[in-house]
Amino acid sequence: MVEHEVETSAATAVVDAGPADRLGADGVLARVRAGTGELTGALRRVAEHVLSDPEAAARATIVELAERSGTSPATITRFCRAMGFEGYADLRLGIAAETGRARSAGWTVDIGREIQPGDPLSRVLDQIMAADTRAMHDTAALLDLAEVERAAVAIAGASRVNIFGASGSALVGEEMQFSLHRIGVAAWAWSDVHEGLASAALLGAGDVALGISHTGQTRETIELLAEAGSRGATTVALTGFPRSPLAELADIVLVTASQATTFRPDALSARHPQLVVLDLLYIAVAQRTHDRAHAAFRRTAQAVDGHKAAKGALS
């Protein structure tokens, strides 16, 4: 039976306020995936149904999709608008185009399939490669390059950069800190809350704080970024959810996508897209500090060159 629910304006507004209006047909499913966490009730059921079988959703009429998701045509229309489409026809075309490209590129191979204990490593490798490739393309579609530009300009001119993250996000942050140090940017990565808060309290105008959290709900990272922002630092959030608490308090938001697989839930599968976005940000900073960056990179390379094994030394 079709369930007729009246959505609250707040639930719809959460998604409408997001970056969907600046996205094209690419990344439709990534957009839905990123917004699902902020949807409730009937709108959430529509999103979950679309993600469970995108190809079937692209073939369904608005009445069929409403029946299958246990909602109503009016809810489907609200869902389309929340995702940045004028109507259901535009949503269907966007999903159809994306799933068609996925098939031609081989991205759908094993994505979403559970990895079984007896699966050969060749099949596991295919699934990981397909999921990561899709996540990279989805991230490229979601990413606002103007926001990357703003973050790069801020970091290039910063006196110091603090990077905050917990667990896996801390590892990603350490990679960014190392890259920035190689080109002469004073950057520190903090995973301990007390040390991070002490450092954040010393930031000020002209400094930058980067908080990394796929969910955008890690309390420690939110607290650290909030402290930095309260001291006048420019705050940047790297997250998979543009309406998460972390994103809400940041001046600049960089959005990533992920494709979960068995043994690699969203938080783990987000690591490679996060690294890609941070690599892009690092290169953008190096471009804007070219002479300084080039000289620093050359000096740091020379400093460690003596620790490389000579050819034939280990034979």
Side-chain angles (χ1 to χ4, degrees), residues 49-50 53-61 64-65 68 88 92 95:
H49 185 79
V50 168
D53 194 346
E55 293 189 12
R59 294 191 301 267
T61 66
E64 289 171 340
L65 183 59
R68 293 171 187 174
Y88 183 56
R92 285 181 65 188
I95 296 174

Side-chain angles (χ1 to χ4, degrees), residues 24-290:
D26 286 350
V28 173
L29 298 178
R31 188 188 315 174
V32 173
R33 194 175 296 110
T36 299
E38 287 114 27
L39 296 175
T40 59
L43 287 178
R44 187 183 183 97
R45 291 204 300 277
V46 175
E48 292 173 344
H49 185 79
V50 168
L51 292 174
S52 69
D53 194 346
E55 293 189 12
R59 294 191 301 267
T61 66
I62 189 171
V63 173
E64 289 171 340
L65 183 59
E67 290 177 347
R68 293 171 187 174
S69 59
T71 61
S72 68
T75 298
I76 304 299
T77 299
R78 285 195 295 274
F79 173 78
C80 293
R81 290 173 180 167
M83 292 297 109
F85 293 95
E86 291 185 3
Y88 183 56
D90 291 335
L91 176 67
R92 285 181 65 188
L93 287 174
I95 296 174
E98 188 171 340
T99 54
R101 282 190 299 272
R103 281 196 305 273
S104 64
W107 300 340
T108 57
V109 176
D110 281 340
I111 292 181
R113 174 188 174 276
E114 287 291 311
I115 296 175
Q116 302 300 323
D119 284 350
L121 286 181
S122 59
R123 187 164 191 174
V124 175
L125 176 61
D126 285 344
Q127 180 169 348
I128 293 173
M129 291 295 293
D132 280 358
T133 300
R134 182 59 182 271
M136 300 294 187
H137 281 267
D138 286 348
T139 295
L142 287 171
L143 191 61
D144 186 341
L145 295 181
E147 292 285 88
V148 177
E149 174 81 24
R150 289 180 61 205
V153 170
I155 292 173
S159 300
R160 59 183 291 156
V161 178
N162 271 5
I163 303 170
F164 306 123
S167 189
S169 295
L171 299 177
V172 174
E174 289 173 4
E175 288 278 350
M176 183 61 169
Q177 184 265 341
F178 174 74
S179 296
L180 290 175
H181 255 308
R182 287 295 301 270
I183 59 172
V185 176
W188 287 263
W190 304 99
S191 57
D192 180 85
V193 176
H194 290 187
E195 293 176 352
L197 282 172
S199 184
L202 297 177
L203 296 179
D207 296 325
V208 174
L210 168 63
I212 305 171
S213 169
H214 172 65
T215 64
Q217 297 179 352
T218 304
R219 291 177 58 185
E220 295 85 350
T221 305
I222 293 169
E223 183 179 2
L224 291 166
L225 202 67
E227 176 65 26
S230 72
R231 302 295 177 175
T234 298
T235 52
V236 183
L238 178 66
T239 179
F241 296 88
R243 289 293 154 187
S244 61
L246 184 70
E248 290 286 357
L249 65 85
D251 299 313
I252 301 169
V253 180
L254 308 179
V255 182
T256 61
S258 64
Q259 282 283 344
T261 60
T262 311
F263 305 120
R264 289 203 316 165
D266 280 343
L268 291 178
S269 61
R271 181 176 53 201
H272 292 152
Q274 287 173 339
L275 288 171
V276 167
V277 172
L278 291 179
D279 275 347
L280 175 63
L281 179 57
Y282 156 69
I283 294 297
V285 172
Q287 287 178 312
R288 285 150 186 78
T289 59
H290 181 269

